[in-house]
Amino acid sequence: MFVARIAALTAAAALCAASVAEAKTLRWASQGDALTMDPHSQNEGPTTAMNQHVYEALISRDPSLAKVPALAVSWKPIAPDVWEFKLRPDVKFSDGTPFTADDVVFSINRANGPGSNMNGNFSTLKEIKKINDFRVEVTTSVPDPLLADKWQSISIMSKAWAEKNNAVNSADMIKNEENFATRNAMGTGPFMLKERRAGEKTILVANPTWWDKPVHNLTEVIFTPVPNAATRIAALKAGDIDMTYEVPPADTETLKKDANIKVIEGPETRVVYLGFDQERDELVESNVKGKNPFKDKRVREAFHRSIDVDAIKRTVMRGQSFPTDLMVAPGINGYVKDLDKRPPLLKPEEAKKLLADAGYPNGFELGMDCPNDRYVNDEAICQAVTAMLARVGVKINLLAQPKAKYFAKILVSGGYDTSFFLLGWTPGSFDSWNVLANMYRLRDEKGVGGNNNVGNYSNPKVEELTKQILVEVDTAKRDQLIKAAYEIGQNQDWGYVPLHQQALAWGVSKKVKVVQRADNQILFYWFRKD
């Protein structure tokens, strides 16, 4: 049963002791809202987490992030290019419709179809077919040892519900499209969507017909986006909400002294980083005309080695970050500790010489894009970066916006309209291939490759290594290929500027028992309220 999800953590197991009869309403707040209720429309952390309460995937992960059965009871390769998934019987969607292989085939094709932001998970998919009501087979174009890892983030929808409500294809948020699934949802999960008012309130209620044994004792969960951190903290202290995610580092110690509140902390698998437009012949927001400074790796190195991540940790994050020089965190397959060593900071005159050697003796001016409600202290990080680069003659014109506007500008809907930007990434498969495929591989027209390669970094050697990593089944060989790719993309090309892993910090009422995963997916089916 799905209760096996919690076996890895003693704390999670202890949650089972309380009586389900003492059901409660849980109220919580965060700085930003989910972008959509369509589970395939946007591959963004808070959006995925919200949808995972209503929808389920074939495979899930327990509190320790180990894979566990969900709508599939087993999965395995039965040939080098064929996977078999055996499905869970006696499962129903919350409207009473039986779950079958037809829903799996439909959902995988939908997630790989028009409007979906999940296409990067299907680069090897050749065909998925129904064998019987509770078995599907997946044929890949090449052997894909990571198929199950990639598909654990793909929600399964009801084919009948989607067809009935004209939601066969995902609404393309990048094109500002909407359909019935944007504001409505119906899945097999532990909760059902009762009310959705985007930007105002989302209410989930417990699904009484959920196929698994509930660990939680919640009758409903009420979420309110509250952009202002001081307002969220005040609401938590007053008891108006039971939990807030993204406790500002400045408030952590104060909350720890509150007799009614606990702060749950830990390192997150997300890496926050800076990226450059390395594609255009001329930047869209710069006083440099006729050429692109970021095409010269000396400029990228000067930026990288002028940004003091320890100072950001100390002054902006108040000690609550874990500086890194890799685009993956410890715990992600392929993390190489030996490569996670930041090069020495350059003195301003040394950075200016690099810029001068690249043809910019007087520095230059450019725009920078930053969200202000997506990552911990995101705007403040960008302000710190702006000040650090000013010392070497680079003038940054910072534009910080709410994430809905920010993503619309820097992704395809805005034509990747950015020169310099801040983002964060947690590989959903917990494997380095996800990072390489999304951020080091060239974008393609179908959205299969380079989904998060906003600046379109490109190196043919890294492209080839990424292809080899995808199909290599020998773990030792695969790890060496991953290391080689990082050595080129990061240590030689200065392709990105990794900053840090965020520190997780949840403020929670002492009346609530929670389970915190390192990927920061807030999953209420492990929560209980006294």
Side-chain angles (χ1 to χ4, degrees):
M1 297 295 289
F2 217 2
V3 74
R5 293 172 174 171
I6 63 168
L9 291 185
T10 302
L15 298 183
C16 296
S19 168
V20 175
E22 300 172 354
K24 302 286 184 179
T25 294
L26 185 138
R27 294 174 172 83
W28 75 291
S30 183
Q31 65 177 344
D33 197 2
L35 297 172
T36 176
M37 294 308 297
D38 187 321
H40 305 142
S41 182
Q42 191 67 39
N43 189 11
E44 189 250 359
T47 301
T48 300
M50 183 70 78
N51 284 321
Q52 283 182 355
H53 293 94
V54 178
Y55 295 102
E56 295 176 293
L58 296 172
I59 301 163
S60 187
R61 291 187 182 269
D62 69 12
S64 70
L65 299 179
K67 293 193 295 292
V68 292
L71 292 180
V73 294
S74 67
W75 55 91
K76 64 181 180 180
I78 56 176
D81 60 349
V82 180
W83 280 74
E84 174 191 76
F85 290 83
K86 292 185 178 179
L87 308 180
R88 190 176 297 279
D90 302 321
V91 174
K92 292 185 178 181
F93 290 93
S94 58
D95 66 354
T97 306
F99 159 73
T100 71
D102 292 323
D103 303 301
V104 175
V105 173
F106 166 78
S107 297
I108 295 301
N109 287 329
R110 184 182 192 271
N112 191 33
S116 173
N117 193 228
M118 299 289 181
N119 309 78
N121 295 290
F122 305 103
S123 59
T124 64
L125 176 62
K126 188 175 181 180
E127 181 187 20
I128 179 170
K129 62 181 180 181
K130 171 184 175 180
I131 304 302
N132 58 46
D133 277 352
F134 298 105
R135 181 182 160 208
V136 297
E137 286 186 2
V138 179
T139 303
T140 56
S141 56
V142 292
D144 187 350
L146 289 177
L147 187 77
D149 296 83
K150 291 185 290 186
W151 285 19
Q152 61 88 31
S153 61
I154 306 302
S155 295
I156 304 303
M157 299 178 72
S158 164
K159 180 175 183 287
W161 182 84
E163 290 176 341
K164 176 183 177 182
N165 293 291
N166 298 315
V168 170
N169 290 325
S170 187
D172 192 338
M173 280 199 66
I174 293 173
K175 297 179 181 178
N176 295 315
E177 294 177 355
E178 283 200 17
N179 64 22
F180 189 76
T182 303
R183 299 174 185 269
N184 299 273
M186 198 278 297
T188 61
F191 291 89
M192 302 181 295
L193 180 64
K194 177 181 179 181
E195 182 178 351
R196 169 67 176 171
R197 284 185 278 162
E200 298 179 27
K201 182 181 292 186
T202 302
I203 301 177
L204 304 175
V205 295
N207 180 0
T209 63
W210 188 38
W211 58 269
D212 199 7
K213 180 181 179 181
V215 174
H216 73 87
N217 70 340
L218 306 173
T219 49
E220 68 176 358
V221 176
I222 301 176
F223 169 71
T224 306
V226 181
N228 185 276
T231 303
R232 294 199 308 273
I233 298 302
L236 180 64
K237 288 181 176 180
D240 295 330
I241 59 174
D242 301 298
M243 173 185 169
T244 180
Y245 157 56
E246 298 148 340
V247 174
D251 293 305
T252 302
E253 294 306 315
T254 301
L255 284 184
K256 287 179 179 178
K257 296 175 183 178
D258 191 307
N260 299 313
I261 296 170
K262 53 191 174 183
V263 178
I264 314 296
E265 299 177 279
E268 188 179 3
T269 51
R270 182 182 313 281
V271 171
V272 176
Y273 65 93
L274 302 172
F276 318 98
D277 177 358
Q278 301 174 55
E279 179 183 29
R280 289 182 175 86
D281 292 329
E282 180 180 300
L283 295 177
V284 293
E285 299 164 335
S286 175
N287 66 345
V288 178
K289 303 304 176 184
K291 58 180 179 177
N292 178 348
F294 291 134
K295 284 181 177 286
D296 193 315
K297 71 177 183 180
R298 290 171 294 187
V299 174
R300 301 195 298 270
E301 180 183 356
F303 271 55
H304 189 124
R305 298 181 64 187
S306 297
I307 296 170
D308 188 342
V309 293
D310 291 318
I312 291 173
K313 176 179 180 178
R314 184 175 62 253
T315 61
V316 177
M317 304 302 291
R318 305 290 183 97
Q320 294 183 21
S321 66
F322 302 83
T324 182
D325 203 44
L326 274 180
M327 295 291 280
V328 289
I332 302 299
N333 184 59
Y335 171 81
V336 185
K337 186 176 181 179
D338 291 345
L339 294 181
D340 193 5
K341 296 178 180 177
R342 206 162 186 90
L345 282 170
L346 294 175
K347 296 178 181 178
E349 58 269 23
E350 293 172 327
K352 287 179 179 179
K353 184 179 185 305
L354 268 178
L355 294 175
D357 291 345
Y360 307 97
N362 300 314
F364 56 92
E365 181 178 341
L366 79 159
M368 179 182 187
D369 289 290
C370 185
N372 60 16
D373 63 351
R374 176 62 187 91
Y375 312 109
V376 178
N377 283 356
D378 39 17
E379 184 174 3
I381 293 169
C382 292
Q383 291 169 342
V385 168
T386 296
M388 291 170 183
L389 291 174
R391 297 172 193 156
V392 303
V394 176
K395 183 180 186 297
I396 300 291
N397 299 312
L398 177 62
L399 175 61
Q401 301 184 92
K403 65 181 182 180
K405 292 183 178 179
Y406 170 74
F407 287 131
K409 180 178 188 291
I410 74 163
L411 296 178
V412 68
S413 63
Y416 299 98
D417 182 18
T418 185
S419 299
F420 185 44
F421 55 91
L422 178 138
L423 275 174
W425 191 257
T426 297
S429 64
F430 303 95
D431 185 271
S432 284
W433 183 85
N434 176 281
V435 175
L436 293 166
N438 280 283
M439 288 183 282
Y440 288 87
R441 191 171 58 176
L442 271 171
R443 298 193 303 263
D444 63 32
E445 293 180 358
K446 297 180 180 178
V448 173
N451 275 5
N452 210 53
N453 191 356
V454 175
N456 224 13
Y457 162 86
S458 174
N459 185 309
K461 292 180 181 178
V462 177
E463 290 275 341
E464 182 57 34
L465 286 166
T466 302
K467 292 177 183 177
Q468 294 176 36
I469 290 163
L470 175 61
V471 300
E472 180 56 65
V473 295
D474 184 291
T475 302
K477 291 180 180 178
R478 191 171 184 277
D479 288 346
Q480 287 303 308
L481 293 171
I482 291 171
K483 182 178 181 181
Y486 285 144
E487 285 177 331
I488 297 170
Q490 198 54 40
N491 293 7
Q492 297 176 23
D493 286 348
W494 307 94
Y496 292 93
V497 185
L499 298 176
H500 55 244
Q501 289 173 260
Q502 290 188 158
L504 291 174
W506 299 357
V508 184
S509 164
K510 287 188 177 178
K511 296 179 180 180
V512 180
K513 298 174 183 176
V514 306
V515 170
Q516 185 183 75
R517 288 197 333 192
D519 63 347
N520 200 27
Q521 294 286 291
I522 301 171
L523 302 173
F524 294 111
Y525 45 72
W526 288 324
F527 285 30
R528 295 188 73 85
K529 184 176 178 182
D530 293 339

